[in-house]
Amino acid sequence: MPKPDKNPPKGKAIALEKIKCGTDPVYFLKHYGYISHPKKGLIKFDTFPFQDSCVKEFQDNRLSIVLKSRQLGLSTICAGYCLWMALFQKEKNIMILATRLDVAKTFLRKVQTIYENLPDWLVMPKETSKSVKSITFSNGSRIVAVPTGDDA
């Protein structure tokens, strides 16, 4: 169930807010993203500057290689960016390739958490199907998570 919006925009403001979110994934995630924290539970997605830089790089470059350490929130920002692409762009086919199936499913749960906690007025394409390995939206976009293997 989406998190209740305390002060939802009205009328023309909704259209303007959707445009802002559709053109800027960082704005979308900072203002409307909620993530699951291991100790605090559901919290607002307050991105770090390096996460914002990663999103800009993803937008500016078709392919990106990131050298990083563990536990920096890169998979979380990637999950948010994948959801943004699927919601605001038609017919996007997004594949998440992970080392193992449980890692792929965990990634997809991050996407699902952000999606399920968006305000109702912001969700334009609706989820048409979902499983532990994929989410499909009414605009033709889908996110599929698969483990590495011969068929990946």
Side-chain angles (χ1 to χ4, degrees), residues 11-136:
K12 189 175 180 181
I14 287 178
L16 293 174
E17 198 61 17
K18 286 180 180 181
I19 291 168
K20 272 188 199 177
C21 288
T23 56
D24 186 352
V26 173
Y27 179 87
F28 166 70
L29 293 171
K30 280 188 176 195
H31 287 82
Y32 302 104
Y34 284 84
I35 59 172
S36 182
H37 187 277
K39 292 182 180 174
K40 300 176 183 176
L42 194 67
I43 61 169
K44 193 133 177 75
F45 193 4
D46 189 17
T47 61
F48 293 105
F50 77 89
Q51 290 172 314
D52 300 345
S53 296
C54 284
V55 170
K56 179 156 178 33
E57 289 297 320
F58 297 155
Q59 282 189 290
D60 293 346
N61 301 288
R62 186 174 164 267
L63 302 172
S64 300
I65 297 174
V66 180
L67 177 61
K68 67 168 215 65
S69 61
R70 293 183 40 77
Q71 303 300 316
L72 293 178
L74 189 64
S75 64
T76 306
I77 197 71
C78 287
Y81 184 68
C82 288
L83 178 63
W84 174 82
M85 280 181 42
L87 291 178
F88 291 99
Q89 298 178 28
K90 291 181 181 180
E91 302 292 329
K92 284 292 181 183
N93 192 16
I94 302 161
M95 180 178 276
I96 306 307
L97 195 58
T99 53
R100 297 182 320 273
L101 181 58
D102 61 320
V103 175
K105 289 185 201 176
T106 298
F107 184 91
L108 210 54
R109 273 195 304 273
K110 290 179 185 209
V111 172
Q112 195 70 37
T113 297
I114 298 169
Y115 177 75
E116 288 172 353
N117 289 286
L118 291 173
D120 289 336
W121 60 265
L122 185 55
V123 180
M124 295 165 290
K126 302 294 182 195
E127 185 180 77
T128 57
S129 71
K130 92 174 167 180
S131 72
V132 294
K133 295 192 280 184
S134 69
I135 304 171
T136 305

